[in-house]
Amino acid sequence: MPRNGRKAASGDEEVAPKHRKTDSNGVPSPFCFDTPDTVFQSLISPVGQEEFFTNYWEKKPLHLQRSDPGLASYYKSLFQLSDLKGLCAQGLTYARDLNVCRSVQGNKTVLNKEGRVNYSQLKKDFNQKATIQFHQPQRFKDELWRIQEKLECFFGALVGSNVYITPQDSQGLPPHYDDVEVFILQLEGEKHWRLYSPTVPLAREYCVALEERIGSPTHDIILKAGDLLYFPRGTIHQADTPVGVDHSTHLTLSTYQNTSWGDYLANVFPNFLYDSLKTSDITRRVGMPRRILMGANAAPDTSRQLASLLRSVADQMERGEHELRAGDMKRDFALHRLPPYTPEQDDISSSAGKMPALEDTVCLRFKDHILVSLETCQSPSDGSVSLVVDVMHSLRNRREKHMMGQSGDDDDDDDSGGDDDSGEEEEDAPSETPGMTFPFEDLPAIRQLQAGQPIPVSQLKRQLDNDKVQMALVLWSEGLLEVC
């Protein structure tokens, strides 16, 4: 996950979707893809964003019964049981691309075979009551790529997905809870869900919950095609396909793994403290008591003095005396998120259009895919340390690698926000975040471009015209800027 923003749009006003005519399967789309906000509003409609984030997000489940044949038809087009035969022909492998599992009397059995997935064997296992868990279908399905790319822009966090296909009178996994926010889209058939009060609210890990200890369900729900179910991380849940329903197919969208205030503070605080050591206030540069590391001075005064120092750092933070630098979280997000949706598979990382000149008006391309971070840089010549500006982007990320880089717990309804279930590192996974580094003096000009409005190169906040043009050329050559 997702492992790594958030400003919930004021969604009180419900966006009237400008529906795209059809998706790639010829089914009318209920999603408005104008902006990340409109995509999320389409997902949770008819509930507005303000109501959702005030009453449900991280608080309690939400069940939306749509009873809309058009929406049900569109959901089915996202992924269905009949897609598996063609996908197996593309060389899927067990564990990496899918799991086969079953839960009986609270115990999970994984039925994976070795190597590549054989469709005939997969169908045989399915007919014997096994659930098929398909990892990260956005790697294969364009419409899911399009939806998840926009949702990652909306949340400012990774959004993964899994598809679960369960035959009638069967269950994939025992009761458990997850460390991600979960959105369930029922694609085919029906699924019976039971939700229970969290034992660990807003949990940071996946955990199996013993059924005899979880009490009675707080929600007992039948999801039908076109319905949506949301529940916060930590919500204990289990799901089965009822008798009489041929099979159930549902899609899980999951996000906000390791994206708490605590995670942000752990990233920001060391950088902020480092910056504060260079101010005229020498309090934090005074030496600590002798032998404190040896436990010789572990007196109450030590804790009180540390608490006082922390309060003074917090005061500086509140006054905004230094930039909040969450470079590691930004870098992780930029490195692992989906690239911009490009149905024609164009090379969007190459230069776009006319080369910018001083008299041209320019703007950023794919603004939501660009992250700016201040970083410390040590000079190789004299060892001096200075701040530089890192401009990171996801234009060169590969959609087929999305969320496939690390191992994690398999799960009947969630993708754990950024993990696959293979336990194997992905070959040729990216190790460096695409982007470039600018001197600190370029930050005001970069902020101008980030504001999103077209601006003449001549008005960029650099003293020399040559520097303005050079900055524009560097961004243009990286595919991040174009002449408007």
Side-chain angles (χ1 to χ4, degrees):
M1 228 202 162
R3 291 179 290 268
N4 304 325
R6 123 173 73 190
K7 181 176 186 251
S10 70
D12 199 305
E13 72 268 5
E14 293 193 6
V15 180
K18 301 175 184 176
H19 293 168
R20 194 161 65 97
K21 291 183 179 179
T22 59
D23 73 353
S24 57
N25 294 295
V27 179
S29 171
F31 280 83
C32 174
F33 289 97
D34 290 351
T35 67
D37 270 24
T38 59
V39 168
F40 183 73
Q41 180 58 64
S42 300
L43 178 69
I44 63 169
S45 179
V47 172
Q49 289 184 45
E50 183 174 345
E51 179 185 353
F52 176 79
F53 284 103
T54 300
N55 297 329
Y56 298 100
W57 177 255
E58 296 189 325
K59 297 181 181 71
K60 63 181 181 180
L62 170 66
H63 175 208
L64 296 178
Q65 295 174 285
R66 263 53 179 279
S67 302
D68 182 341
L71 187 58
S73 178
Y74 171 78
Y75 273 15
K76 182 176 181 179
S77 74
L78 296 177
F79 201 104
Q80 51 193 300
L81 175 61
S82 58
D83 290 332
L84 287 175
K85 186 172 184 179
L87 289 168
C88 286
Q90 298 185 36
L92 304 179
T93 59
Y94 284 102
R96 171 178 169 72
D97 294 305
L98 61 80
N99 279 337
V100 180
C101 56
R102 190 178 178 195
S103 175
V104 179
Q105 295 181 345
N107 295 310
K108 181 186 74 173
T109 301
V110 177
L111 304 171
N112 290 351
K113 308 300 186 290
E114 293 293 328
R116 291 199 169 187
V117 179
N118 178 279
Y119 177 71
S120 296
Q121 178 63 52
L122 187 66
K123 187 176 180 182
K124 181 179 178 181
D125 289 335
F126 183 74
N127 289 337
Q128 294 177 353
K129 306 293 188 183
T131 286
I132 299 169
Q133 176 194 31
F134 194 95
H135 306 315
Q136 310 303 341
Q138 71 278 7
R139 296 177 294 142
F140 303 92
K141 293 286 190 174
D142 285 358
E143 193 73 354
L144 289 177
W145 173 19
R146 192 180 195 196
I147 292 169
Q148 288 176 237
E149 181 255 321
K150 278 290 191 287
L151 290 177
E152 288 188 333
C153 294
F154 177 81
F155 285 110
L158 297 176
V159 176
S161 68
N162 274 346
V163 164
Y164 304 86
I165 308 176
T166 304
Q168 69 168 315
D169 192 25
S170 182
Q171 181 168 332
L173 282 182
H176 62 279
Y177 59 81
D178 307 298
D179 59 347
V180 283
E181 301 297 305
V182 171
F183 296 85
I184 306 292
L185 284 64
Q186 186 67 28
L187 309 185
E188 293 182 302
E190 298 179 3
K191 199 71 174 279
H192 174 217
W193 288 83
R194 283 167 287 171
L195 311 182
Y196 306 81
S197 296
T199 54
V200 184
L202 302 182
R204 289 182 57 81
E205 64 285 318
Y206 165 90
C207 184
V208 173
L210 296 177
E211 191 156 10
E212 60 268 21
R213 297 183 181 178
I214 60 179
S216 301
T218 58
H219 298 73
D220 196 305
I221 294 167
I222 297 292
L223 274 193
K224 299 182 179 181
D227 288 356
L228 178 139
L229 174 64
Y230 158 80
F231 51 84
R233 55 194 187 275
T235 303
I236 300 170
H237 53 278
Q238 59 179 323
D240 62 90
T241 301
V243 176
V245 176
D246 181 70
H247 69 276
S248 163
T249 304
H250 78 259
L251 169 78
T252 295
L253 299 171
S254 58
T255 189
Y256 255 60
Q257 185 186 51
N258 298 343
T259 315
S260 67
W261 275 117
D263 295 297
Y264 187 67
L265 182 62
N267 194 191
V268 164
F269 186 79
N271 294 323
F272 192 93
L273 182 60
Y274 174 83
D275 293 341
S276 74
L277 290 173
K278 297 181 289 184
T279 64
S280 57
D281 182 1
I282 69 167
T283 308
R284 275 161 248 148
R285 298 202 297 272
V286 172
M288 62 187 187
R290 289 179 297 106
R291 296 170 59 84
I292 191 173
L293 299 181
M294 301 168 66
N297 291 291
D301 283 349
T302 302
S303 296
R304 282 195 292 270
Q305 191 166 355
L306 280 174
S308 176
L309 291 171
L310 287 173
R311 280 190 288 270
S312 68
V313 174
D315 290 341
Q316 278 190 306
M317 190 175 287
E318 189 170 15
R319 293 193 296 267
E321 294 186 10
H322 305 288
E323 182 107 1
L324 298 179
R325 299 195 281 121
D328 291 341
M329 293 183 76
K330 290 182 179 182
R331 193 171 296 106
D332 182 79
F333 180 39
L335 182 63
H336 293 100
R337 65 187 295 193
L338 281 163
Y341 173 73
T342 50
E344 305 303 323
Q345 307 290 317
D346 297 329
D347 181 9
I348 57 174
S349 65
S350 58
S351 304
K354 176 182 179 293
M355 181 184 295
L358 186 67
E359 64 274 10
D360 288 323
T361 296
V362 295
C363 57
L364 291 180
R365 301 172 71 215
F366 310 111
K367 183 172 71 74
D368 287 336
H369 285 262
I370 299 172
L371 299 174
V372 176
S373 178
L374 288 180
E375 302 291 337
T376 55
C377 179
Q378 188 170 30
S379 169
S381 57
D382 60 9
S384 60
V385 177
S386 60
L387 284 177
V388 295
V389 183
D390 277 357
V391 177
M392 301 167 281
H393 64 82
S394 56
L395 272 59
R396 294 198 186 99
N397 289 2
R398 297 176 59 185
R399 161 214 188 174
E400 61 269 24
K401 307 290 186 182
H402 184 239
M403 309 293 271
M404 297 296 292
Q406 296 182 355
S407 62
D409 293 308
D410 49 323
D411 179 352
D412 187 43
D413 45 75
D414 145 81
D415 111 286
S416 297
D419 299 328
D420 73 7
D421 301 292
S422 64
E424 299 176 0
E425 282 298 317
E426 174 63 27
E427 292 184 10
D428 51 277
S431 57
E432 291 188 10
T433 310
M436 67 285 298
T437 299
F438 293 89
F440 180 74
E441 294 75 23
D442 284 344
L443 182 61
I446 292 171
R447 294 295 193 211
Q448 283 180 292
L449 293 167
Q450 268 196 303
Q453 299 301 317
I455 184 172
V457 175
S458 60
Q459 292 183 18
L460 291 175
K461 293 182 178 179
R462 293 293 274 133
Q463 286 190 334
L464 301 178
D465 287 347
N466 187 57
D467 291 339
K468 299 173 184 179
V469 173
Q470 185 61 31
M471 170 187 280
L473 286 173
V474 170
L475 292 168
W476 172 80
S477 64
E478 191 75 6
L480 302 181
L481 184 138
E482 62 185 349
V483 174
C484 300

